[in-house]
Amino acid sequence: MPLIGEIASLITAMLWSSSSIVFTEASRRIGSQQINVDRLIVASICLFITIMSAGWIQVVPGRQMWLLIISGLIGLIFGDGFLFKALHMIGARYGMLVMSLVPAISAILAFIILGETLSFTVILGMAITLTGILFVVLKGSADGNSKETVTKLGLFYAFLGALGQAAGLLFAKAAFSLGEINGFYAAFIRVFTTVLLFLPAMIMLKRYRNPFKLYQDDRRSLLLTIAGGMLGPYIGITFSLIAVKNTSVGIASTLMATVPVLMLPLLRVVYKEKITLRALVGALLAVSGVAILFLR
């Protein structure tokens, strides 16, 4: 199917846009660290049921397996871990601003390590899309009432988060280049091995609460966690792997970075936020860049 990688990238961005709203609500109730672990547990269960029901279990060569495991550890623990730290320290606006470097970092790493090259048209489409995203992310940054404070450490954490996510995509792409593997099965390897290391560490550090007692007392948080886990790590990560499998890392990461743009209508409906002219211009720019990537 033509453009399957690009389509999967946009589906990923749509899913992550929805899951970010759900995770925001859940983290306000039970904390970001708890939801970060539980979302991966939910995704692992869903992925296991899916691959068992569909018979998608396959023998994965050792090198390919290790690349997927490393991809998960770097992207889901290192990348997401520093991203959450950055969001806590400098806020979502500036955190997403630094995270917009992911496509550029991904493209550079893919060129150096995998030998991927991008045409002028693709680079132009990526540049226009990222410009639009920056317009959306930076909307209202001149507001004197903003409580967000930029620190060098916060910006450094955000950069490490961007580097982790870019490197995670790169290792996933390298794994797919070694041979055919089902996207859901690859996602299960990434997510489940991350849980095996992440959960014991959180328990040892006493940063993880008993989920049975926690969700028994707060059923709404349970529903939010399940919904977010299915939208993000379950279906979202699977489509992100399908994306990098079928198109270049630079294009996939650029299209997946359109989350702030796709969140605009959701923020309008859920939080009644006003959509500014600047945000609309940014959205139009981003859509134009996406169109160039699809019509190149």
Side-chain angles (χ1 to χ4, degrees), residues 5-53:
E6 288 79 359
I7 293 172
S9 299
L10 282 180
I11 292 175
T12 301
M14 293 176 187
L15 290 166
W16 285 350
S17 299
S18 302
S19 66
S20 64
I21 299 292
V22 176
F23 285 139
T24 298
E25 293 299 312
S27 63
R28 288 173 178 172
R29 300 174 70 93
I30 62 175
S32 60
Q33 292 179 331
Q34 185 79 27
I35 193 67
N36 191 22
V37 178
D38 289 346
R39 69 182 180 124
L40 297 177
I41 295 175
V42 170
S44 295
I45 295 172
C46 292
L47 287 166
F48 179 76
I49 293 173
T50 301
I51 61 178
M52 290 297 291
S53 300

mmCIF file of all heavy atoms in Angstrom, residues 5-53:
data_model
loop_
_atom_site.group_PDB
_atom_site.id
_atom_site.type_symbol
_atom_site.label_atom_id
_atom_site.label_comp_id
_atom_site.label_asym_id
_atom_site.label_seq_id
_atom_site.Cartn_x
_atom_site.Cartn_y
_atom_site.Cartn_z
ATOM 1 N N GLY A 5 3.486 4.288 5.414
ATOM 2 C CA GLY A 5 4.277 4.836 6.508
ATOM 3 C C GLY A 5 3.795 6.211 6.924
ATOM 4 O O GLY A 5 3.700 6.528 8.120
ATOM 5 N N GLU A 6 3.495 7.059 5.937
ATOM 6 C CA GLU A 6 3.012 8.409 6.224
ATOM 7 C C GLU A 6 1.634 8.375 6.894
ATOM 8 O O GLU A 6 1.369 9.123 7.848
ATOM 9 C CB GLU A 6 2.945 9.223 4.928
ATOM 10 C CG GLU A 6 4.294 9.621 4.368
ATOM 11 C CD GLU A 6 4.999 8.495 3.602
ATOM 12 O OE1 GLU A 6 4.427 7.387 3.536
ATOM 13 O OE2 GLU A 6 6.101 8.712 3.093
ATOM 14 N N ILE A 7 0.754 7.498 6.400
ATOM 15 C CA ILE A 7 -0.586 7.376 6.990
ATOM 16 C C ILE A 7 -0.489 6.878 8.429
ATOM 17 O O ILE A 7 -1.159 7.391 9.335
ATOM 18 C CB ILE A 7 -1.458 6.424 6.140
ATOM 19 C CG1 ILE A 7 -1.733 7.038 4.767
ATOM 20 C CG2 ILE A 7 -2.777 6.126 6.856
ATOM 21 C CD1 ILE A 7 -2.411 6.101 3.791
ATOM 22 N N ALA A 8 0.377 5.884 8.658
ATOM 23 C CA ALA A 8 0.562 5.353 10.005
ATOM 24 C C ALA A 8 1.119 6.421 10.947
ATOM 25 O O ALA A 8 0.761 6.478 12.131
ATOM 26 C CB ALA A 8 1.498 4.142 9.972
ATOM 27 N N SER A 9 1.976 7.291 10.424
ATOM 28 C CA SER A 9 2.550 8.369 11.243
ATOM 29 C C SER A 9 1.470 9.328 11.708
ATOM 30 O O SER A 9 1.433 9.742 12.879
ATOM 31 C CB SER A 9 3.604 9.145 10.440
ATOM 32 O OG SER A 9 4.665 8.314 10.048
ATOM 33 N N LEU A 10 0.567 9.696 10.806
ATOM 34 C CA LEU A 10 -0.513 10.619 11.176
ATOM 35 C C LEU A 10 -1.503 9.962 12.136
ATOM 36 O O LEU A 10 -2.015 10.613 13.059
ATOM 37 C CB LEU A 10 -1.249 11.104 9.922
ATOM 38 C CG LEU A 10 -0.540 12.192 9.111
ATOM 39 C CD1 LEU A 10 -1.379 12.586 7.904
ATOM 40 C CD2 LEU A 10 -0.267 13.418 9.968
ATOM 41 N N ILE A 11 -1.776 8.676 11.927
ATOM 42 C CA ILE A 11 -2.645 7.959 12.861
ATOM 43 C C ILE A 11 -2.008 7.940 14.246
ATOM 44 O O ILE A 11 -2.696 8.126 15.267
ATOM 45 C CB ILE A 11 -2.912 6.523 12.361
ATOM 46 C CG1 ILE A 11 -3.771 6.545 11.098
ATOM 47 C CG2 ILE A 11 -3.614 5.688 13.454
ATOM 48 C CD1 ILE A 11 -3.979 5.187 10.470
ATOM 49 N N THR A 12 -0.695 7.738 14.288
ATOM 50 C CA THR A 12 0.036 7.766 15.561
ATOM 51 C C THR A 12 -0.141 9.108 16.258
ATOM 52 O O THR A 12 -0.428 9.174 17.454
ATOM 53 C CB THR A 12 1.533 7.513 15.335
ATOM 54 O OG1 THR A 12 1.716 6.242 14.712
ATOM 55 C CG2 THR A 12 2.296 7.541 16.650
ATOM 56 N N ALA A 13 0.027 10.189 15.500
ATOM 57 C CA ALA A 13 -0.114 11.533 16.073
ATOM 58 C C ALA A 13 -1.529 11.755 16.602
ATOM 59 O O ALA A 13 -1.717 12.356 17.668
ATOM 60 C CB ALA A 13 0.238 12.586 15.024
ATOM 61 N N MET A 14 -2.537 11.275 15.872
ATOM 62 C CA MET A 14 -3.925 11.405 16.322
ATOM 63 C C MET A 14 -4.154 10.648 17.631
ATOM 64 O O MET A 14 -4.800 11.151 18.559
ATOM 65 C CB MET A 14 -4.882 10.877 15.238
ATOM 66 C CG MET A 14 -4.913 11.710 13.977
ATOM 67 S SD MET A 14 -5.979 10.960 12.716
ATOM 68 C CE MET A 14 -5.643 12.026 11.305
ATOM 69 N N LEU A 15 -3.621 9.442 17.696
ATOM 70 C CA LEU A 15 -3.778 8.629 18.898
ATOM 71 C C LEU A 15 -3.066 9.266 20.089
ATOM 72 O O LEU A 15 -3.599 9.316 21.205
ATOM 73 C CB LEU A 15 -3.224 7.225 18.647
ATOM 74 C CG LEU A 15 -4.034 6.356 17.673
ATOM 75 C CD1 LEU A 15 -3.225 5.150 17.236
ATOM 76 C CD2 LEU A 15 -5.343 5.895 18.315
ATOM 77 N N TRP A 16 -1.851 9.773 19.863
ATOM 78 C CA TRP A 16 -1.093 10.400 20.951
ATOM 79 C C TRP A 16 -1.746 11.712 21.388
ATOM 80 O O TRP A 16 -1.637 12.095 22.551
ATOM 81 C CB TRP A 16 0.352 10.622 20.521
ATOM 82 C CG TRP A 16 1.154 9.348 20.515
ATOM 83 C CD1 TRP A 16 0.779 8.140 21.023
ATOM 84 C CD2 TRP A 16 2.466 9.160 19.971
ATOM 85 N NE1 TRP A 16 1.767 7.204 20.828
ATOM 86 C CE2 TRP A 16 2.818 7.798 20.188
ATOM 87 C CE3 TRP A 16 3.368 9.987 19.323
ATOM 88 C CZ2 TRP A 16 4.026 7.266 19.781
ATOM 89 C CZ3 TRP A 16 4.584 9.460 18.912
ATOM 90 C CH2 TRP A 16 4.917 8.113 19.146
ATOM 91 N N SER A 17 -2.408 12.405 20.452
ATOM 92 C CA SER A 17 -3.127 13.625 20.827
ATOM 93 C C SER A 17 -4.240 13.304 21.812
ATOM 94 O O SER A 17 -4.418 13.981 22.828
ATOM 95 C CB SER A 17 -3.718 14.297 19.580
ATOM 96 O OG SER A 17 -2.711 14.659 18.668
ATOM 97 N N SER A 18 -4.985 12.246 21.509
ATOM 98 C CA SER A 18 -6.092 11.843 22.391
ATOM 99 C C SER A 18 -5.575 11.310 23.719
ATOM 100 O O SER A 18 -6.092 11.659 24.787
ATOM 101 C CB SER A 18 -6.941 10.765 21.696
ATOM 102 O OG SER A 18 -7.444 11.232 20.466
ATOM 103 N N SER A 19 -4.524 10.488 23.656
ATOM 104 C CA SER A 19 -4.011 9.891 24.888
ATOM 105 C C SER A 19 -3.391 10.935 25.815
ATOM 106 O O SER A 19 -3.440 10.800 27.035
ATOM 107 C CB SER A 19 -2.977 8.804 24.575
ATOM 108 O OG SER A 19 -1.813 9.352 23.988
ATOM 109 N N SER A 20 -2.837 12.013 25.242
ATOM 110 C CA SER A 20 -2.231 13.049 26.081
ATOM 111 C C SER A 20 -3.283 13.735 26.944
ATOM 112 O O SER A 20 -3.021 14.087 28.101
ATOM 113 C CB SER A 20 -1.493 14.071 25.214
ATOM 114 O OG SER A 20 -2.394 14.759 24.365
ATOM 115 N N ILE A 21 -4.475 13.939 26.382
ATOM 116 C CA ILE A 21 -5.571 14.527 27.165
ATOM 117 C C ILE A 21 -5.967 13.583 28.289
ATOM 118 O O ILE A 21 -6.145 13.987 29.448
ATOM 119 C CB ILE A 21 -6.799 14.802 26.268
ATOM 120 C CG1 ILE A 21 -6.446 15.784 25.151
ATOM 121 C CG2 ILE A 21 -7.963 15.319 27.107
ATOM 122 C CD1 ILE A 21 -6.154 17.182 25.610
ATOM 123 N N VAL A 22 -6.085 12.295 27.961
ATOM 124 C CA VAL A 22 -6.474 11.290 28.954
ATOM 125 C C VAL A 22 -5.421 11.181 30.049
ATOM 126 O O VAL A 22 -5.751 11.152 31.248
ATOM 127 C CB VAL A 22 -6.682 9.914 28.275
ATOM 128 C CG1 VAL A 22 -6.983 8.846 29.328
ATOM 129 C CG2 VAL A 22 -7.820 9.984 27.263
ATOM 130 N N PHE A 23 -4.147 11.141 29.661
ATOM 131 C CA PHE A 23 -3.071 11.018 30.646
ATOM 132 C C PHE A 23 -2.971 12.257 31.533
ATOM 133 O O PHE A 23 -2.617 12.160 32.710
ATOM 134 C CB PHE A 23 -1.729 10.767 29.954
ATOM 135 C CG PHE A 23 -1.570 9.373 29.427
ATOM 136 C CD1 PHE A 23 -0.976 9.140 28.192
ATOM 137 C CD2 PHE A 23 -2.016 8.283 30.157
ATOM 138 C CE1 PHE A 23 -0.821 7.851 27.704
ATOM 139 C CE2 PHE A 23 -1.872 6.988 29.678
ATOM 140 C CZ PHE A 23 -1.273 6.779 28.450
ATOM 141 N N THR A 24 -3.268 13.419 30.972
ATOM 142 C CA THR A 24 -3.261 14.643 31.773
ATOM 143 C C THR A 24 -4.281 14.548 32.893
ATOM 144 O O THR A 24 -3.996 14.872 34.061
ATOM 145 C CB THR A 24 -3.565 15.873 30.894
ATOM 146 O OG1 THR A 24 -2.544 16.017 29.909
ATOM 147 C CG2 THR A 24 -3.630 17.146 31.740
ATOM 148 N N GLU A 25 -5.488 14.095 32.544
ATOM 149 C CA GLU A 25 -6.538 13.955 33.548
ATOM 150 C C GLU A 25 -6.174 12.896 34.590
ATOM 151 O O GLU A 25 -6.381 13.085 35.791
ATOM 152 C CB GLU A 25 -7.868 13.588 32.864
ATOM 153 C CG GLU A 25 -8.437 14.681 31.979
ATOM 154 C CD GLU A 25 -8.745 15.939 32.771
ATOM 155 O OE1 GLU A 25 -9.375 15.841 33.841
ATOM 156 O OE2 GLU A 25 -8.319 17.023 32.332
ATOM 157 N N ALA A 26 -5.607 11.781 34.128
ATOM 158 C CA ALA A 26 -5.257 10.697 35.045
ATOM 159 C C ALA A 26 -4.117 11.095 35.972
ATOM 160 O O ALA A 26 -4.131 10.790 37.174
ATOM 161 C CB ALA A 26 -4.876 9.441 34.253
ATOM 162 N N SER A 27 -3.091 11.780 35.419
ATOM 163 C CA SER A 27 -1.935 12.161 36.238
ATOM 164 C C SER A 27 -2.318 13.150 37.326
ATOM 165 O O SER A 27 -1.700 13.175 38.397
ATOM 166 C CB SER A 27 -0.828 12.741 35.353
ATOM 167 O OG SER A 27 -1.254 13.935 34.720
ATOM 168 N N ARG A 28 -3.332 13.959 37.075
ATOM 169 C CA ARG A 28 -3.795 14.900 38.088
ATOM 170 C C ARG A 28 -4.449 14.176 39.263
ATOM 171 O O ARG A 28 -4.492 14.699 40.375
ATOM 172 C CB ARG A 28 -4.786 15.891 37.476
ATOM 173 C CG ARG A 28 -4.135 16.911 36.539
ATOM 174 C CD ARG A 28 -5.170 17.766 35.829
ATOM 175 N NE ARG A 28 -4.528 18.764 34.975
ATOM 176 C CZ ARG A 28 -5.202 19.534 34.116
ATOM 177 N NH1 ARG A 28 -6.524 19.405 34.001
ATOM 178 N NH2 ARG A 28 -4.554 20.424 33.382
ATOM 179 N N ARG A 29 -4.915 12.968 38.998
ATOM 180 C CA ARG A 29 -5.594 12.206 40.047
ATOM 181 C C ARG A 29 -4.650 11.263 40.785
ATOM 182 O O ARG A 29 -4.734 11.111 42.006
ATOM 183 C CB ARG A 29 -6.753 11.398 39.433
ATOM 184 C CG ARG A 29 -7.808 12.251 38.741
ATOM 185 C CD ARG A 29 -8.842 11.384 38.035
ATOM 186 N NE ARG A 29 -9.690 10.684 38.991
ATOM 187 C CZ ARG A 29 -10.860 11.155 39.427
ATOM 188 N NH1 ARG A 29 -11.308 12.323 39.008
ATOM 189 N NH2 ARG A 29 -11.579 10.453 40.282
ATOM 190 N N ILE A 30 -3.713 10.613 40.061
ATOM 191 C CA ILE A 30 -2.876 9.597 40.707
ATOM 192 C C ILE A 30 -1.379 9.847 40.549
ATOM 193 O O ILE A 30 -0.567 9.082 41.074
ATOM 194 C CB ILE A 30 -3.207 8.183 40.167
ATOM 195 C CG1 ILE A 30 -2.915 8.098 38.667
ATOM 196 C CG2 ILE A 30 -4.646 7.816 40.473
ATOM 197 C CD1 ILE A 30 -3.094 6.710 38.090
ATOM 198 N N GLY A 31 -0.983 10.897 39.820
ATOM 199 C CA GLY A 31 0.429 11.201 39.661
ATOM 200 C C GLY A 31 1.007 10.678 38.352
ATOM 201 O O GLY A 31 0.586 9.623 37.862
ATOM 202 N N SER A 32 1.978 11.406 37.800
ATOM 203 C CA SER A 32 2.544 11.061 36.495
ATOM 204 C C SER A 32 3.378 9.781 36.526
ATOM 205 O O SER A 32 3.403 9.015 35.561
ATOM 206 C CB SER A 32 3.404 12.215 35.974
ATOM 207 O OG SER A 32 4.465 12.495 36.865
ATOM 208 N N GLN A 33 4.086 9.531 37.630
ATOM 209 C CA GLN A 33 4.932 8.329 37.702
ATOM 210 C C GLN A 33 4.087 7.060 37.718
ATOM 211 O O GLN A 33 4.410 6.071 37.060
ATOM 212 C CB GLN A 33 5.825 8.397 38.938
ATOM 213 C CG GLN A 33 6.881 9.487 38.858
ATOM 214 C CD GLN A 33 7.749 9.554 40.097
ATOM 215 O OE1 GLN A 33 7.312 9.213 41.187
ATOM 216 N NE2 GLN A 33 8.987 9.989 39.927
ATOM 217 N N GLN A 34 2.993 7.088 38.468
ATOM 218 C CA GLN A 34 2.098 5.932 38.528
ATOM 219 C C GLN A 34 1.485 5.644 37.165
ATOM 220 O O GLN A 34 1.468 4.512 36.693
ATOM 221 C CB GLN A 34 0.988 6.180 39.554
ATOM 222 C CG GLN A 34 0.057 4.987 39.785
ATOM 223 C CD GLN A 34 0.663 3.944 40.687
ATOM 224 O OE1 GLN A 34 1.508 4.238 41.521
ATOM 225 N NE2 GLN A 34 0.216 2.701 40.549
ATOM 226 N N ILE A 35 1.012 6.700 36.515
ATOM 227 C CA ILE A 35 0.359 6.513 35.218
ATOM 228 C C ILE A 35 1.366 6.099 34.154
ATOM 229 O O ILE A 35 1.043 5.340 33.225
ATOM 230 C CB ILE A 35 -0.382 7.802 34.787
ATOM 231 C CG1 ILE A 35 -1.333 7.534 33.617
ATOM 232 C CG2 ILE A 35 0.585 8.894 34.401
ATOM 233 C CD1 ILE A 35 -2.483 6.652 33.953
ATOM 234 N N ASN A 36 2.620 6.538 34.293
ATOM 235 C CA ASN A 36 3.647 6.177 33.327
ATOM 236 C C ASN A 36 3.903 4.677 33.330
ATOM 237 O O ASN A 36 4.066 4.052 32.270
ATOM 238 C CB ASN A 36 4.939 6.933 33.640
ATOM 239 C CG ASN A 36 5.965 6.808 32.538
ATOM 240 O OD1 ASN A 36 5.637 6.516 31.392
ATOM 241 N ND2 ASN A 36 7.217 7.027 32.874
ATOM 242 N N VAL A 37 3.919 4.072 34.519
ATOM 243 C CA VAL A 37 4.127 2.621 34.618
ATOM 244 C C VAL A 37 2.866 1.867 34.213
ATOM 245 O O VAL A 37 2.920 0.912 33.415
ATOM 246 C CB VAL A 37 4.521 2.225 36.058
ATOM 247 C CG1 VAL A 37 4.675 0.700 36.164
ATOM 248 C CG2 VAL A 37 5.816 2.904 36.466
ATOM 249 N N ASP A 38 1.724 2.298 34.729
ATOM 250 C CA ASP A 38 0.481 1.558 34.497
ATOM 251 C C ASP A 38 0.050 1.579 33.037
ATOM 252 O O ASP A 38 -0.556 0.629 32.540
ATOM 253 C CB ASP A 38 -0.629 2.118 35.381
ATOM 254 C CG ASP A 38 -0.428 1.768 36.849
ATOM 255 O OD1 ASP A 38 0.410 0.888 37.134
ATOM 256 O OD2 ASP A 38 -1.085 2.377 37.715
ATOM 257 N N ARG A 39 0.360 2.654 32.318
ATOM 258 C CA ARG A 39 0.003 2.707 30.887
ATOM 259 C C ARG A 39 0.738 1.622 30.118
ATOM 260 O O ARG A 39 0.184 1.016 29.184
ATOM 261 C CB ARG A 39 0.350 4.080 30.317
ATOM 262 C CG ARG A 39 1.852 4.333 30.221
ATOM 263 C CD ARG A 39 2.238 5.704 29.713
ATOM 264 N NE ARG A 39 3.699 5.802 29.678
ATOM 265 C CZ ARG A 39 4.386 6.108 28.585
ATOM 266 N NH1 ARG A 39 3.768 6.337 27.452
ATOM 267 N NH2 ARG A 39 5.707 6.172 28.633
ATOM 268 N N LEU A 40 1.997 1.340 30.502
ATOM 269 C CA LEU A 40 2.774 0.307 29.829
ATOM 270 C C LEU A 40 2.276 -1.092 30.188
ATOM 271 O O LEU A 40 2.307 -2.004 29.356
ATOM 272 C CB LEU A 40 4.255 0.452 30.182
ATOM 273 C CG LEU A 40 4.924 1.757 29.740
ATOM 274 C CD1 LEU A 40 6.370 1.808 30.223
ATOM 275 C CD2 LEU A 40 4.871 1.902 28.223
ATOM 276 N N ILE A 41 1.813 -1.257 31.434
ATOM 277 C CA ILE A 41 1.249 -2.546 31.845
ATOM 278 C C ILE A 41 -0.024 -2.835 31.066
ATOM 279 O O ILE A 41 -0.225 -3.949 30.548
ATOM 280 C CB ILE A 41 0.969 -2.556 33.366
ATOM 281 C CG1 ILE A 41 2.285 -2.458 34.150
ATOM 282 C CG2 ILE A 41 0.203 -3.815 33.761
ATOM 283 C CD1 ILE A 41 2.099 -2.343 35.653
ATOM 284 N N VAL A 42 -0.895 -1.828 30.953
ATOM 285 C CA VAL A 42 -2.133 -1.980 30.180
ATOM 286 C C VAL A 42 -1.807 -2.328 28.731
ATOM 287 O O VAL A 42 -2.409 -3.233 28.135
ATOM 288 C CB VAL A 42 -2.979 -0.686 30.236
ATOM 289 C CG1 VAL A 42 -4.135 -0.755 29.237
ATOM 290 C CG2 VAL A 42 -3.534 -0.474 31.639
ATOM 291 N N ALA A 43 -0.846 -1.621 28.153
ATOM 292 C CA ALA A 43 -0.464 -1.875 26.758
ATOM 293 C C ALA A 43 0.101 -3.277 26.580
ATOM 294 O O ALA A 43 -0.199 -3.955 25.587
ATOM 295 C CB ALA A 43 0.553 -0.833 26.304
ATOM 296 N N SER A 44 0.912 -3.727 27.531
ATOM 297 C CA SER A 44 1.490 -5.077 27.446
ATOM 298 C C SER A 44 0.395 -6.138 27.424
ATOM 299 O O SER A 44 0.446 -7.087 26.631
ATOM 300 C CB SER A 44 2.425 -5.325 28.632
ATOM 301 O OG SER A 44 3.541 -4.477 28.586
ATOM 302 N N ILE A 45 -0.596 -5.984 28.301
ATOM 303 C CA ILE A 45 -1.704 -6.941 28.360
ATOM 304 C C ILE A 45 -2.486 -6.939 27.046
ATOM 305 O O ILE A 45 -2.796 -7.996 26.478
ATOM 306 C CB ILE A 45 -2.636 -6.615 29.542
ATOM 307 C CG1 ILE A 45 -1.893 -6.802 30.869
ATOM 308 C CG2 ILE A 45 -3.888 -7.488 29.503
ATOM 309 C CD1 ILE A 45 -2.660 -6.318 32.083
ATOM 310 N N CYS A 46 -2.796 -5.743 26.537
ATOM 311 C CA CYS A 46 -3.557 -5.634 25.287
ATOM 312 C C CYS A 46 -2.786 -6.220 24.107
ATOM 313 O O CYS A 46 -3.354 -6.931 23.260
ATOM 314 C CB CYS A 46 -3.898 -4.172 25.004
ATOM 315 S SG CYS A 46 -5.071 -3.430 26.148
ATOM 316 N N LEU A 47 -1.490 -5.929 24.052
ATOM 317 C CA LEU A 47 -0.663 -6.452 22.959
ATOM 318 C C LEU A 47 -0.548 -7.968 23.034
ATOM 319 O O LEU A 47 -0.592 -8.654 22.005
ATOM 320 C CB LEU A 47 0.726 -5.804 23.004
ATOM 321 C CG LEU A 47 0.796 -4.346 22.551
ATOM 322 C CD1 LEU A 47 2.120 -3.711 22.961
ATOM 323 C CD2 LEU A 47 0.611 -4.246 21.032
ATOM 324 N N PHE A 48 -0.404 -8.506 24.248
ATOM 325 C CA PHE A 48 -0.298 -9.958 24.422
ATOM 326 C C PHE A 48 -1.579 -10.649 23.948
ATOM 327 O O PHE A 48 -1.525 -11.648 23.217
ATOM 328 C CB PHE A 48 -0.031 -10.293 25.883
ATOM 329 C CG PHE A 48 0.073 -11.774 26.159
ATOM 330 C CD1 PHE A 48 1.214 -12.479 25.813
ATOM 331 C CD2 PHE A 48 -0.980 -12.455 26.753
ATOM 332 C CE1 PHE A 48 1.306 -13.842 26.047
ATOM 333 C CE2 PHE A 48 -0.893 -13.818 26.995
ATOM 334 C CZ PHE A 48 0.253 -14.515 26.638
ATOM 335 N N ILE A 49 -2.729 -10.117 24.349
ATOM 336 C CA ILE A 49 -4.010 -10.690 23.930
ATOM 337 C C ILE A 49 -4.151 -10.624 22.409
ATOM 338 O O ILE A 49 -4.611 -11.576 21.763
ATOM 339 C CB ILE A 49 -5.183 -9.952 24.615
ATOM 340 C CG1 ILE A 49 -5.166 -10.216 26.119
ATOM 341 C CG2 ILE A 49 -6.529 -10.399 24.016
ATOM 342 C CD1 ILE A 49 -6.183 -9.400 26.902
ATOM 343 N N THR A 50 -3.734 -9.504 21.828
ATOM 344 C CA THR A 50 -3.860 -9.321 20.380
ATOM 345 C C THR A 50 -3.011 -10.317 19.603
ATOM 346 O O THR A 50 -3.505 -10.985 18.681
ATOM 347 C CB THR A 50 -3.446 -7.886 19.984
ATOM 348 O OG1 THR A 50 -4.278 -6.947 20.654
ATOM 349 C CG2 THR A 50 -3.562 -7.685 18.476
ATOM 350 N N ILE A 51 -1.733 -10.432 19.954
ATOM 351 C CA ILE A 51 -0.849 -11.312 19.185
ATOM 352 C C ILE A 51 -1.182 -12.779 19.415
ATOM 353 O O ILE A 51 -1.031 -13.613 18.510
ATOM 354 C CB ILE A 51 0.633 -11.037 19.502
ATOM 355 C CG1 ILE A 51 0.944 -11.275 20.970
ATOM 356 C CG2 ILE A 51 1.014 -9.628 19.101
ATOM 357 C CD1 ILE A 51 2.413 -11.070 21.337
ATOM 358 N N MET A 52 -1.672 -13.128 20.611
ATOM 359 C CA MET A 52 -2.074 -14.507 20.870
ATOM 360 C C MET A 52 -3.338 -14.855 20.092
ATOM 361 O O MET A 52 -3.454 -15.938 19.514
ATOM 362 C CB MET A 52 -2.292 -14.712 22.363
ATOM 363 C CG MET A 52 -1.014 -14.682 23.203
ATOM 364 S SD MET A 52 0.143 -16.025 22.782
ATOM 365 C CE MET A 52 -0.767 -17.446 23.401
ATOM 366 N N SER A 53 -4.307 -13.934 20.071
ATOM 367 C CA SER A 53 -5.575 -14.175 19.374
ATOM 368 C C SER A 53 -5.379 -14.268 17.866
ATOM 369 O O SER A 53 -6.027 -15.068 17.192
ATOM 370 C CB SER A 53 -6.570 -13.048 19.695
ATOM 371 O OG SER A 53 -6.821 -12.971 21.080
#
